Amino acid sequence: MTDTSGTSDTSAAPHKAGAFDIRNIIGALMGIYGVILVLAGLLGEHEPDKTGGVNANLWTGLALIVVAAVFIGWARLRPIVVPEGFDRPDDDPTRPAPQRKRPPTH
Amino acid sequence: MSETLIDATWLDYLLVAIYFGFVLGIGVMARRSVSESIDFFLSGRSLPAWVTGLAFISANLGAVEIMGMSANGAELGLPTFHYFWVGAVPAMLFLGVVMMPFYYGSKVRSVPEFMFRRFGTGAHLVNAISFAVAQLLIAGVNLALLAGIVRALLGWEIWIALIVAGVVVLSYITLGGLSAAIYNEVLQFFVIVASLVPLTLIGLHRVGGWDGLTDKITAASAGASSASEAPPADQQLNAWPGQALSGFDSPLLSVIGIVFGLGFVLSFGYWTTNFVEVQRAMASDSISSARKTPIIGSFPKMFIPFIVIVPGMISAVLVKEMIDLKNGGSPEGGASGEGVAYNDALLLLMRDVLPNGLLGLAIAGLLAAFMAGMAANISAFNTVFSYDLWQRYIRKNHSDDYYLRIGRIATVGATVVAIFTAQIALGYDNVMNYLQTLFGFFNAPLFATFILGMFWKRMTPTAGWVGLVAGTLSAIAVDRTAAAGVFELSGQGVAFLAASVAFTVDIVLSVVVSLVTKPKPASELRGLVYSETPREERTDPHEASYPWWRRTLPLAGISLAMVIILNFAF
């Protein structure tokens, strides 16, 4: 699906993006939200007069868990491979914060 | 302390806290460079098109979209869809198909930089100043809406909420939120969709489905009091001809106003020259991905109105205060503290239909969107102020540390100024009217100069700045004449007219001035003007080997076909 995947077999030690692959981050946040909303739907107040009788927290929670599973599954099946020696990002030069301390590149 | 608009519980605050934990956590890790993967994702030119496409949409899915469009939906109904189907998708496709190769190829970091290369100093200076002013004014809009949420949650006075919201944005920028911009924007997109989809579905369920909604709008319109300024029901329930939106009584003029004013000038001006968004595409891994970024973004963009405009329409028939407002009343309360306004449509609907839990998700999404939106405005202001203005015109050849210090001062200064420009935004009942007015002042002439300069190599540097100045001044003149009561157009008609006038004045003057002044030599226009750029520099050599669903033009064609179908369906 992505331009960087699919060629991993050629290099000796492919370095996967792993936990910080953006799809895993999306999956983690959606998953946490899903679980909390399911719990809120099962254990919390139901408030049917607001939602017109639907247990909205429960259903949204379940949907979010499915979304999370899709993203984490996608990241597992087609991992993004971090190539050797890509350009490191520049810190935003105008941001009023300590600059990132990075070892000089070779 | 007054009573709060929304009753949030610990559960809602927990969901908000988790979101900020994620965003700030990634920001801090990005800054410390702890993970090679994060560096990889944030390094320039490495991302697949689906990520940049979502970030592209998300960078725009802020205050304007969510609050402005739901306010417009509540006030005017379905014609608001034009902002998406006429006012966004065609321009996004044009950006991807025609303009992106120039941006991606020339590697410019800002609009003024492109102006400098094409036209030299005059146009650069004019554009840098107007861009900086526009960013400060738009940051004020974001801040005003952010403060509105703080006030709705905590019940503080609006000016305290403004200062607190300003401090929050400043600490978000300082803690590194912007370093992880791509992650934030994609996460933000999912959180917003995850909260607005249930809001829309529950809202529709409450009013009895789509039929229930149309019945209620028709009934409300039939029984409206004479004080009501709401448009008749058939205008609210059909996207075309959209007199309620354009303010023209004649259907024909209305269609022309929407297609030319909104669809062509305002929307092309906004999407093709807005570097807060264009920069997202610059982070993609190839010229092909850069071109596909806005095109992929156009697919979610087509369906976003269903989760922002429809809730606004539901709010206008379900929420007590909104019904009263639309019927000509002036109910108490509202986020600004000066009575309920259309801007409050979404917040009030959330209060009425979302249970605690989902409410927290929605608050997290809104806070994230407005904060990131304002942070992006301030960062854009900062780049232009420090490098395009200060370094080029005021203090040349100082050390990097010097410009960094200037940048820090500019960030704090811009936040303080935004607290004041937020006051202007608070004066508008429907924030969309204000934003479209601003876009007419700044983006419409810019687009005219861009498009002429990109396709007509004869256009001269003098014409560049003369067109920009005259365009902006004529838009302001139209707006002030309307404000003085010389003529009257309701809805966003004045903004459409001002934008169209600015565009026309800019084009005409640019052509006239170009014919009597000296153009730049053709050798300096390579990569900047269409006819002087070889075809190989404009296209991706690998593109032809991709399957059709990964190529630019077929995707753009599908998107265009879908949006035409949507226009007929509503």
Side-chain angles (χ1 to χ4, degrees):
Chain A
M1 281 309 244
T2 62
D3 293 348
T4 42
S5 65
T7 53
S8 55
D9 297 339
T10 50
S11 65
H15 179 82
K16 309 259 171 74
F20 292 107
D21 186 326
I22 201 158
R23 294 168 295 182
N24 284 326
I25 306 258
I26 297 166
L29 183 67
M30 294 292 115
I32 293 172
Y33 277 168
V35 170
I36 292 177
L37 286 181
V38 166
L39 290 177
L42 293 175
L43 309 174
E45 268 180 86
H46 179 30
E47 306 185 73
D49 50 322
K50 275 191 179 175
T51 61
V54 187
N55 192 338
N57 279 339
L58 178 64
W59 286 109
T60 310
L62 290 174
L64 289 182
I65 291 175
V66 172
V67 171
V70 168
F71 272 98
I72 292 172
W74 180 15
R76 280 276 162 81
L77 286 175
R78 308 290 292 267
I80 284 179
V81 177
V82 177
E84 293 279 315
F86 58 89
D87 288 340
R88 298 281 171 149
D90 289 331
D91 215 359
D92 180 351
T94 54
R95 201 165 46 78
Q99 293 294 289
R100 71 195 312 175
K101 296 283 186 287
R102 188 190 303 153
T105 42
H106 307 287
Chain B
M1 289 229 181
S2 57
E3 207 157 285
T4 62
L5 197 67
I6 291 177
D7 284 319
T9 63
W10 63 269
L11 179 63
D12 302 312
Y13 287 115
L14 174 69
L15 291 171
V16 174
I18 290 174
Y19 183 81
F20 286 102
F22 259 76
V23 165
L24 292 181
I26 299 169
V28 168
M29 284 189 284
R31 214 177 60 216
R32 297 206 182 136
S33 197
V34 291
S35 154
E36 202 175 29
S37 317
I38 297 184
D39 273 2
F40 173 64
F41 269 98
L42 297 175
S43 66
R45 314 214 150 181
S46 63
L47 293 172
W50 71 268
V51 174
T52 50
L54 283 182
F56 184 89
I57 282 306
S58 193
N60 173 255
L61 191 64
V64 192
E65 297 275 311
I66 301 174
M67 298 310 236
M69 292 300 171
S70 57
N72 237 11
E75 188 176 358
L76 308 172
L78 279 181
T80 312
F81 276 58
H82 291 316
Y83 276 109
F84 295 81
W85 297 341
V86 176
V89 170
M92 290 165 71
L93 300 180
F94 181 79
L95 172 64
V97 172
V98 180
M99 310 217 8
M100 194 55 83
F102 293 98
Y103 290 141
Y104 195 83
S106 64
K107 295 184 181 173
V108 290
R109 287 165 310 170
S110 66
V111 186
E113 198 179 326
F114 191 89
M115 282 291 162
F116 186 75
R117 298 236 211 129
R118 176 66 183 83
F119 297 114
T121 310
H124 174 266
L125 181 61
V126 170
N127 178 238
I129 292 172
S130 90
F131 184 86
V133 172
Q135 291 305 320
L136 289 178
L137 292 172
I138 298 170
V141 175
N142 279 309
L143 187 64
L145 291 164
L146 190 62
I149 297 187
V150 172
R151 187 185 145 82
L153 280 171
L154 303 171
W156 294 347
E157 289 296 323
I158 193 71
W159 64 268
I160 300 179
L162 275 176
I163 293 171
V164 170
V167 172
V168 169
V169 173
L170 208 52
S171 36
Y172 169 79
I173 300 176
T174 314
L175 284 171
L178 272 178
S179 326
I182 292 270
Y183 280 89
N184 294 349
E185 278 161 359
V186 175
L187 280 181
Q188 186 185 312
F189 177 83
F190 284 98
V191 172
I192 288 170
V193 171
S195 57
L196 290 184
V197 169
L199 178 70
T200 311
L201 293 177
I202 301 168
L204 277 177
H205 179 65
R206 285 277 305 273
V207 296
W210 182 255
D211 290 337
L213 177 62
T214 54
D215 289 350
K216 283 202 164 65
I217 289 176
T218 313
S221 177
S225 75
S226 55
S228 166
E229 289 175 4
D234 64 319
Q235 287 189 20
Q236 291 188 49
L237 291 170
N238 287 298
W240 293 104
Q243 289 107 320
L245 184 71
S246 63
F248 290 109
D249 287 329
S250 143
L252 180 70
L253 277 180
S254 174
V255 171
I256 294 174
I258 288 172
V259 171
F260 185 73
L262 171 66
F264 184 62
V265 176
L266 271 174
S267 116
F268 278 59
Y270 176 80
W271 288 99
T272 57
T273 61
N274 193 325
F275 258 58
V276 175
E277 268 126 47
V278 173
Q279 269 171 346
R280 305 296 169 252
M282 309 280 276
S284 58
D285 55 15
S286 66
I287 200 165
S288 168
S289 287
R291 294 178 75 196
K292 279 183 289 188
T293 293
I295 293 167
I296 290 179
S298 74
F299 290 99
K301 183 79 185 173
M302 252 176 251
F303 297 101
I304 285 172
F306 290 105
I307 58 171
V308 293
I309 298 173
V310 173
M313 294 166 67
I314 296 170
S315 180
V317 294
L318 188 66
V319 177
K320 188 166 59 58
E321 289 93 334
M322 295 303 296
I323 297 174
D324 188 12
L325 173 68
K326 202 165 176 177
N327 203 15
S330 41
E332 296 278 306
S336 67
E338 288 157 14
V340 169
Y342 284 111
N343 292 335
D344 300 320
L346 201 70
L347 279 178
L348 290 172
L349 184 68
M350 281 163 46
R351 175 198 69 183
D352 280 7
V353 309
L354 288 186
N356 289 111
L358 264 180
L359 186 62
L361 198 60
I363 294 168
L366 293 182
L367 286 176
F370 303 162
M371 210 168 65
M374 179 169 165
N377 293 139
I378 292 205
S379 150
F381 167 81
N382 204 327
T383 310
V384 169
F385 181 82
S386 321
Y387 293 95
D388 284 302
L389 288 172
W390 197 268
Q391 185 170 18
R392 201 182 290 275
Y393 298 109
I394 298 177
R395 290 272 186 277
K396 280 178 197 164
N397 303 327
H398 279 53
S399 67
D400 284 353
D401 274 354
Y402 173 81
Y403 295 111
L404 208 64
R405 264 203 314 281
I406 294 294
R408 291 178 189 177
I409 296 168
T411 297
V412 177
T415 312
V416 174
V417 173
I419 291 177
F420 292 95
T421 53
Q423 308 287 345
I424 310 175
L426 284 172
Y428 281 77
D429 183 43
N430 179 341
V431 78
M432 207 60 220
N433 295 343
Y434 176 53
L435 274 165
Q436 291 304 325
T437 306
L438 291 183
F439 293 152
F441 291 175
F442 298 113
N443 292 19
L446 185 57
F447 171 59
T449 302
F450 245 83
I451 200 78
L452 203 60
M454 214 173 242
F455 289 99
W456 193 39
K457 64 179 176 181
R458 179 77 181 71
M459 186 168 177
T460 62
T462 319
W465 71 263
V466 170
L468 283 177
V469 171
T472 300
L473 289 180
S474 60
I476 294 176
V478 170
D479 182 69
R480 288 298 97 194
T481 325
V486 177
F487 64 95
E488 213 170 302
L489 285 173
S490 65
Q492 273 107 53
V494 176
F496 295 174
L497 184 69
S500 307
V501 169
F503 180 85
T504 317
V505 167
D506 186 317
I507 292 276
V508 170
L509 263 184
S510 298
V511 170
V512 171
V513 173
S514 288
L515 292 176
V516 295
T517 48
K518 196 170 157 291
K520 281 177 88 169
S523 58
E524 289 177 19
L525 300 177
R526 190 185 164 115
L528 300 169
V529 176
Y530 195 82
S531 60
E532 301 304 311
T533 309
R535 195 177 156 72
E536 306 82 70
E537 283 181 27
R538 285 188 271 118
T539 48
D540 191 324
H542 302 298
E543 175 120 350
S545 65
Y546 292 158
W548 66 269
W549 45 271
R550 283 183 56 193
R551 270 184 263 145
T552 310
L553 290 177
L555 275 177
I558 297 174
S559 175
L560 192 64
M562 282 171 67
V563 91
I564 291 172
I565 293 170
L566 285 170
N567 261 307
F568 277 104
F570 287 89

